[in-house]
Amino acid sequence: MTSEPLVFCLTCLLLGQMAPLSVLTSSPVHLKSSFISAPVGGEVTLRCSYEGDESAWICWYKQTLGQNPKLISSFFVYSPENIFYGEFQNNSRFTLIRKNRTTNLIISNLKMSDSATYYCAFTYAHIVSFSEGATVIIKDPDSDIRPSVLQSEPESVRPGDAVTLNCSVQTGSCGGEQSIYWFRKSEESHPGLIYTHGGKRDRCERNPNTPTHTCVYSLPLKDLTVSDAGTYYCVVRFCGQIVFGNGTRLTLMSEGKFLVHFVTGLLAGLFLVLIIIVVYRMKNKHTNQAAGTFKKKEHCSLFSIKRMQVTHIF
């Protein structure tokens, strides 16, 4: 390897540690961000596209929950050579395909340890631009220790309110400790890790009749703003497995929308009260009319009886 590629590779390896290095907020590199679920033994393809004509390096990273990012590979855009590092070197499960400013990272014969968030980065003149992350979740349908993760129902709140999201995790017994993470995914931002419980258990109960136990984890959110809206995912790492919950949708109404809903609800309530009053008055009027008719008929009957009595006298 020549000295120039070595410099660029070190740039990829030492991200965040070099003094002149900076990270762009507007990235020329793009990775289709999503949650990808795949079975053990399957295959996933992560596609990254990049822009610009600079003499740049493109790097791929893998970040497992709770761990530092690992450099998978890098390449110089004007060179056909792909360089892999560490555990990914000479590993036939990891393949790079490059074509028309697009690089595909293919991971085959998937293992549980492949569950992670993957990024690609654009490195030029000591400036590093990261792509969005793609979170890959590997599932083993044959596992007998697979945890079950259930989350609370969707919430709709106003800005400034507080809410607590709950996550119930039921696991078997494998002697391992649970680690809980919370991800948030919204329309304005890409999926990202926002909080971790580490190995702490909030409220746990063991079933005496089975080797399973259930733990409930809570995520308190205070002084909510519109930017906090999105879907919150509870993620558990247990006995080498990573499992996502079904997600809890958090919706925040802006002050304007809340005022519209409030006024609409108020008008609907007033309209309902008005209908009740009208119906009550109509019913009361009908009752009074019926009572008046009955009295009139009763008066006529008495008049007829008296008239018959007078006729009889004469």
Side-chain angles (χ1 to χ4, degrees):
M1 183 183 296
T2 64
S3 60
E4 182 180 3
L6 179 60
V7 172
F8 279 102
C9 291
L10 288 175
T11 300
C12 290
L13 285 167
L14 301 178
L15 290 177
Q17 300 180 16
M18 298 177 62
L21 190 65
S22 61
V23 179
L24 289 180
T25 55
S26 179
S27 178
V29 62
H30 304 283
L31 176 63
K32 184 178 181 181
S33 62
S34 60
F35 291 106
I36 303 172
S37 178
V40 169
E43 179 179 292
V44 295
T45 298
L46 306 178
R47 176 171 297 178
C48 175
S49 60
Y50 51 92
E51 307 167 357
D53 297 325
E54 295 87 353
S55 300
W57 281 76
I58 306 298
C59 307
W60 278 96
Y61 292 89
K62 171 187 177 182
Q63 184 175 26
T64 304
L65 282 174
Q67 300 182 13
N68 293 327
K70 292 182 179 180
L71 180 61
I72 300 174
S73 67
S74 68
F75 63 86
F76 184 54
V77 294
Y78 293 128
S79 170
E81 182 182 11
N82 298 324
I83 306 171
F84 287 85
Y85 303 90
E87 64 189 81
F88 309 101
Q89 192 173 14
N90 299 322
N91 189 336
S92 59
R93 295 197 308 112
F94 291 82
T95 307
L96 272 185
I97 297 180
R98 299 159 52 186
K99 184 178 180 181
N100 298 331
R101 298 191 177 280
T102 299
T103 169
N104 292 346
L105 176 64
I106 302 174
I107 309 174
S108 57
N109 190 21
L110 291 167
K111 299 180 180 180
M112 295 300 298
S113 59
D114 293 324
S115 293
T117 300
Y118 294 82
Y119 303 89
C120 62
F122 183 95
T123 305
Y124 174 74
H126 301 301
I127 297 177
V128 180
S129 306
F130 275 94
S131 71
E132 307 86 349
T135 302
V136 178
I137 303 300
I138 311 302
K139 297 183 178 181
D140 185 2
D142 299 326
S143 175
D144 57 353
I145 58 171
R146 177 175 174 79
S148 172
V149 182
L150 298 176
Q151 294 186 226
S152 51
E153 295 297 322
E155 296 278 356
S156 182
V157 296
R158 292 179 298 168
D161 285 352
V163 69
T164 299
L165 306 182
N166 292 315
C167 173
S168 176
V169 181
Q170 186 178 53
T171 61
S173 57
C174 73
E177 187 71 28
Q178 298 176 19
S179 293
I180 302 297
Y181 306 85
W182 287 89
F183 276 77
R184 181 172 68 90
K185 180 181 180 182
S186 68
E187 296 178 358
E188 291 75 19
S189 61
H190 302 290
L193 180 66
I194 60 171
Y195 186 75
T196 174
H197 284 270
K200 178 184 176 181
R201 295 180 177 180
D202 283 8
R203 302 190 303 274
C204 295
E205 297 179 358
R206 181 174 295 277
N207 190 333
N209 300 321
T210 65
T212 63
H213 64 268
T214 301
C215 295
V216 178
Y217 298 88
S218 299
L219 178 66
L221 302 172
K222 299 179 180 179
D223 298 324
L224 293 168
T225 64
V226 176
S227 61
D228 293 317
T231 302
Y232 289 74
Y233 292 91
C234 172
V235 186
V236 58
R237 186 173 68 181
F238 179 71
C239 296
Q241 299 190 63
I242 297 177
V243 181
F244 271 68
N246 53 313
T248 298
R249 179 70 180 174
L250 182 64
T251 304
L252 276 89
M253 293 185 293
S254 63
E255 293 296 341
K257 288 185 177 179
F258 172 73
L259 183 60
V260 170
H261 284 279
F262 176 77
V263 173
T264 302
L266 181 62
L267 291 176
L270 292 175
F271 183 69
L272 180 61
V273 171
L274 181 62
I275 291 177
I276 293 175
I277 293 174
V278 171
V279 171
Y280 174 77
R281 287 186 175 180
M282 291 179 63
K283 184 177 180 181
N284 193 34
K285 182 178 180 181
H286 178 73
T287 303
N288 292 336
Q289 288 178 348
T293 303
F294 176 76
K295 289 181 178 180
K296 184 177 180 181
K297 289 182 178 180
E298 184 182 26
H299 176 74
C300 292
S301 299
L302 291 174
F303 178 76
S304 300
I305 294 173
K306 290 180 178 179
R307 184 176 180 182
M308 289 174 62
Q309 291 176 349
V310 171
T311 304
H312 180 72
I313 293 174
F314 285 98

